[in-house]
Amino acid sequence: MLTQVLAQRDDHVCPVEAISTAYLGFAGGDAGIALRCAIADALSDLMEAERRTRERSRLISRGYIRTAPDPEGAPTS
């Protein structure tokens, strides 16, 4: 939603100013609501990034387990 608004903004505008203006516009000019929305979006993005990191870590770990050499020296299939 806000990314669409930001994409329409002038490229020469400070990103912080563009983001704050977009949130204020979305919140009808209420700075408190705009701040809460920005915090909620930031936390949501952070949780998604952490989820992706855990998923990548899990996939990497599984890859190492699958390709680990047999302790007896026999080739793995």
Side-chain angles (χ1 to χ4, degrees):
M1 166 182 67
L2 286 176
T3 54
Q4 294 169 347
V5 172
L6 294 175
Q8 297 171 356
R9 299 265 180 208
D10 184 11
D11 291 337
H12 302 292
V13 176
C14 173
V16 173
E17 189 63 35
I19 292 168
S20 64
T21 300
Y23 274 101
L24 278 170
F26 175 74
D30 187 324
I33 292 173
L35 178 61
R36 287 177 184 89
C37 290
I39 292 169
D41 285 349
L43 288 174
S44 176
D45 290 346
L46 178 63
M47 289 171 45
E48 177 63 17
E50 288 176 348
R51 184 196 66 78
R52 288 180 182 175
T53 300
R54 284 190 309 270
E55 180 66 21
R56 264 189 239 116
S57 177
R58 212 173 11 252
L59 291 173
I60 291 170
S61 295
R62 288 180 184 164
Y64 284 127
I65 291 170
R66 287 182 186 151
T67 60
D70 188 349
E72 297 176 8
T76 58
S77 52

